[in-house]
Amino acid sequence: MSDVSEDDNEISFRVKFLGRVEVVRPNGLQVLDEAAEILKTPDKYSPEKAAKKSKVHLFLSLSGIDILENKTKFLLYTCPLSTVSFCALLPSSPKVFGFVARHPAADMYHCYLFQSKKFSHVLVSVIGDAFRASKKEENTRGGRDLIVEALRHKNKVLQRENSELKRRLAGQPN
């Protein structure tokens, strides 16, 4: 399986998920540094830390960023692009990148950190480009509902997964 796949309206990367941390500010390299330091400190009571360092698929489209667990394809997190406020490489470790997104239902921000040996710089650039394109498209189409777009995206991902599972099932002997 390749680390990158592309569709007409989305791109997918397989990366290592380091974790998600609540942060107090919506942007800045210091936010990434602080989040990385928090994730380095073990905490058995934190579900974000317990789930860290697993392989995930990072799906990026104009509607948002979806983080799916690699083996089960379980949706861990979804972030509409309108909630993303910052994305950058970690200055102390160029293979680590992250983005900050506002929680859609609460007045808080989370920093999501990932590691990729090959694609960190590319992902930072692609997420930035998608964010700008999303804003441009949102303005062009009159602010169409991003939740509907996110649901369409998830539906498309699930349909693709369903087709793949049907194909695998058809190839198995009874």
Side-chain angles (χ1 to χ4, degrees):
M1 175 184 249
S2 90
D3 286 341
V4 180
S5 64
E6 215 174 323
D7 192 351
D8 289 340
N9 297 319
E10 69 181 30
I11 188 166
S12 167
F13 288 85
R14 189 172 57 190
V15 296
K16 187 181 287 186
F17 181 51
L18 301 178
R20 178 182 89 151
V21 175
E22 186 177 339
V23 294
V24 294
R25 290 182 312 282
N27 55 28
L29 291 174
Q30 188 177 359
V31 170
L32 292 182
D33 279 329
E34 291 168 1
E37 284 302 314
I38 290 170
L39 287 173
K40 285 180 186 176
T41 310
D43 183 356
K44 63 183 177 183
Y45 301 108
S46 171
E48 281 85 6
K49 289 185 180 184
K52 71 179 179 174
K53 295 187 180 177
S54 60
K55 292 277 185 185
V56 297
H57 278 281
L58 197 63
F59 283 93
L60 177 65
S61 70
L62 288 179
S63 61
I65 301 169
D66 289 337
I67 304 166
L68 281 77
E69 202 280 321
N70 186 46
K71 290 181 183 174
T72 64
K73 302 299 186 249
F74 179 75
L75 181 65
L76 299 173
Y77 302 103
T78 187
C79 301
L81 281 180
S82 62
T83 66
V84 175
S85 56
F86 183 74
C87 183
L89 292 172
L90 189 64
S92 59
S93 181
K95 293 181 181 180
V96 175
F97 70 96
F99 66 88
V100 178
R102 178 180 41 81
H103 191 283
D107 190 24
M108 66 175 62
Y109 295 91
H110 287 102
C111 181
Y112 300 80
L113 289 173
F114 306 88
Q115 181 179 5
S116 174
K117 293 178 181 173
K118 303 175 189 173
F119 301 111
S120 291
H121 63 288
V122 173
L123 271 161
V124 168
S125 177
V126 169
I127 289 171
D129 290 348
F131 177 75
R132 285 185 288 280
S134 170
K135 285 295 181 196
K136 186 176 180 182
E137 184 176 301
E138 185 178 312
N139 291 338
T140 307
R141 66 181 181 199
R144 202 162 127 194
D145 191 0
L146 286 177
I147 295 172
V148 171
E149 288 298 311
L151 290 172
R152 285 184 182 150
H153 169 72
K154 286 179 196 168
N155 188 31
K156 187 176 181 181
V157 169
L158 290 171
Q159 285 176 340
R160 191 177 314 126
E161 179 185 347
N162 193 24
S163 297
E164 173 64 20
L165 291 172
K166 282 181 182 178
R167 187 186 61 77
R168 283 189 201 168
L169 195 58
Q172 292 205 353
N174 287 339

